[in-house]
Amino acid sequence: AVYRELFRESNDSDTIKYYRKIKGLVHEAKWQKYRDELLKVRNFGKTANNVLAEIYVEEQLLDRLYEHLLHSNYALLSALESYAKYLSEEQQQILVARLEKELCGGFSFNTTRKDYQNLAGRLSRLKKTCPAGKAMAEKVINYHLTKYRNRPALREELQKVR
């Protein structure tokens, strides 16, 4: 009961520790039902909560992991870097597609090379994440190269990603 209360009230860095302690105390035959009830007592909400994602991975609840990533306020690129390997290709594609609008955002008139390097860095990370990420990165690169033909610094940074 104490660990359950600590799980419910602890900060994120300690939550997984209490989760594992509780798991060690509950009989294996009763664990699934107890686990599901335990996850309900703590309000994880829709915040960028790695703890819940880590529990889903540990418990091999990969459909729940996907739903959590799909409906949460994660920094999606970071989440994909951590969890893409646990998702199906179709799930990866759906999550990667959510990044397109953000990555194709226009540049204002006062952009700097640092802004271009930031985009190029994010695209490079996306390419390494999963096959769908590689395809999306190429799509975004082509978009920017077409839309901003007269920005040599942008072109130069994006060519580095290719």
Side-chain angles (χ1 to χ4, degrees):
V2 171
Y3 287 130
R4 184 180 173 110
E5 190 62 27
L6 288 170
F7 172 81
R8 193 170 70 81
E9 298 296 330
S10 64
N11 62 32
D12 285 348
S13 62
D14 290 333
T15 302
I16 197 80
K17 176 175 73 174
Y18 295 125
Y19 178 82
R20 289 178 180 142
K21 285 193 182 276
I22 294 168
K23 185 175 181 178
L25 296 172
V26 176
H27 190 276
E28 192 176 316
K30 297 180 180 182
W31 174 243
Q32 279 187 332
K33 183 178 179 185
Y34 191 89
R35 175 201 62 213
D36 290 341
E37 290 172 10
L38 183 65
L39 292 177
K40 288 178 188 173
V41 298
R42 180 175 174 112
N43 181 13
F44 288 101
K46 292 187 176 190
T47 60
N49 198 309
N50 283 352
V51 174
L52 186 56
E54 288 299 321
I55 290 170
Y56 287 154
V57 168
E58 192 169 306
E59 295 291 324
Q60 291 297 299
L61 300 170
L62 303 182
D63 286 339
R64 289 189 197 178
L65 171 67
Y66 168 70
E67 289 298 319
H68 175 63
L69 296 178
L70 187 63
H71 299 294
S72 67
N73 296 326
Y74 264 98
L76 195 50
L77 179 54
S78 295
L80 280 167
E81 287 177 309
S82 298
Y83 304 114
K85 63 186 168 222
Y86 301 109
L87 304 172
S88 70
E89 283 186 41
E90 181 182 346
Q91 291 170 332
Q92 291 173 7
Q93 288 173 344
I94 291 167
L95 292 173
V96 166
R98 291 182 57 203
L99 290 169
E100 183 176 3
K101 183 178 179 184
E102 175 186 339
L103 293 171
C104 286
F107 287 105
S108 67
F109 293 105
N110 298 322
T111 53
T112 65
R113 182 172 288 268
K114 188 155 184 86
D115 296 324
Y116 301 151
Q117 289 170 338
N118 181 24
L119 174 64
R122 295 184 75 214
L123 291 172
S124 179
R125 288 172 52 205
L126 184 60
K127 278 180 72 169
K128 294 173 188 170
T129 300
C130 59
K134 189 173 183 176
M136 179 58 69
E138 194 59 38
K139 182 177 180 179
V140 171
I141 289 169
N142 289 334
Y143 168 81
H144 284 293
L145 291 176
T146 303
K147 184 171 181 174
Y148 301 107
R149 294 177 191 268
N150 296 327
R151 295 192 182 186
L154 174 62
R155 298 179 74 73
E156 186 178 310
E157 294 302 328
L158 292 177
Q159 291 298 342
K160 291 177 186 177
V161 178
R162 285 198 154 150

